[in-house]
Amino acid sequence: MNRKIKFIIDTLKHPKLACKIAFDALKQPSLLTISRKAPGLCSISLGWLIYNRVLKSSHKSRNIIEVGAYKGKSTCFLSLAAKKTGRRVKSFELFSGLPTADPVLDPRFRKGDMSSSLEIYESTVSTYGYREIVDLVVGDARQTLPSEIEDFCVAFLDVDVYDVTVELLSFLIKISQANHSNP
Ligand SMILES: C[S@@+](CC[C@H](N)C(=O)[O-])C[C@H]1O[C@@H](n2cnc3c(N)ncnc32)[C@H](O)[C@@H]1O
């Protein structure tokens, strides 16, 4: 669907959110630039939501986790928030596309859908975000995330596949609980 039409439909569906986004975008024009120019799937509404979630987090951890970066668009939104709050983005991506999905739970997705490349990611994040405060980890996050992350303030999971999301969520919940009992 054409981006402008999608934006109009989003606005009609969520008028209050649209007003907030417009107001925020005036204060932070880089959000609009990412939304209009960076390649990828993250909409302005989602970009605005994840940006604000980081700004509002009072958690002391400096790590913002992103799993599923594709061409780096959501990474740009998160890196802007990281810059404002003195944090870093830990970005996890396969680049080889989606892993095998359960055909019943995820009938729309096929293995390898949405493959991207390191070159596109690098170009997007250096042009529209703050590459210097992003740590990219290439590979399957189900294997790489546990050795990289001990704590986090915000996690954005955008991997599409149900099974992968459940596995990552269980891991993140365990970390949060462990940090909560040993602050
Ligand atoms: C919906 S796209 C992400 C869109 C992106 N957030 C954006 O702003 O455009 C889903 C991404 O998740 C990645 N992905 C899926 N399973 C993964 C896994 N186990 N580990 C790392 N990345 C994964 C895919 O390679 C794909 O690029």
Side-chain angles (χ1 to χ4, degrees):
M1 190 190 298
N2 176 304
R3 271 188 199 194
K4 276 187 190 152
I5 297 176
K6 192 173 176 319
F7 184 73
I8 292 167
I9 293 174
D10 276 358
T11 308
L12 292 174
K13 275 198 209 154
H14 310 285
K16 227 173 153 186
L17 180 61
C19 291
K20 275 188 176 169
I21 292 169
F23 182 69
D24 221 56
L26 287 177
K27 289 190 294 180
Q28 183 61 264
S30 344
L31 292 177
L32 267 188
T33 307
I34 297 170
S35 154
R36 288 179 46 241
K37 297 196 172 163
L41 301 170
C42 191
S43 65
I44 179 74
S45 342
L46 182 57
W48 181 88
L49 278 175
I50 58 178
Y51 171 84
N52 274 284
R53 183 54 59 93
V54 174
L55 257 55
K56 283 182 185 156
S57 168
S58 55
H59 199 288
K60 65 180 190 314
S61 170
R62 292 181 64 229
N63 295 330
I64 301 163
I65 299 176
E66 169 191 55
V67 189
Y70 188 46
K71 297 180 179 177
K73 190 168 187 174
S74 45
T75 320
C76 294
F77 285 114
L78 290 172
S79 75
L80 255 64
K83 183 83 176 171
K84 272 208 149 175
T85 56
R87 291 174 167 132
R88 294 192 73 84
V89 182
K90 307 280 177 184
S91 177
F92 296 82
E93 174 53 53
L94 273 167
F95 293 121
S96 52
L98 298 179
T100 311
D102 183 317
V104 178
L105 294 171
D106 288 309
R108 284 190 306 134
F109 301 127
R110 300 276 170 278
K111 185 173 163 55
D113 281 356
M114 266 178 275
S115 56
S116 176
S117 76
L118 178 61
E119 290 70 30
I120 298 176
Y121 176 94
E122 292 291 356
S123 144
T124 306
V125 183
S126 349
T127 311
Y128 303 106
Y130 293 102
R131 181 65 184 90
E132 66 280 13
I133 51 168
V134 174
D135 302 313
L136 171 67
V137 182
V138 181
D140 189 326
R142 288 169 294 183
Q143 272 94 55
T144 56
L145 198 126
S147 55
E148 295 284 335
I149 297 294
E150 284 177 1
D151 57 27
F152 63 95
C153 57
V154 172
F156 173 55
L157 305 184
D158 193 15
V159 292
D160 285 337
V161 178
Y162 181 88
D163 288 338
V164 179
T165 308
V166 169
E167 200 172 318
L168 293 170
L169 265 180
S170 340
F171 173 70
L172 294 176
I173 289 168
K174 263 188 220 152
I175 298 187
S176 309
Q177 286 170 342
N179 284 333
H180 208 65
S181 47
N182 312 307

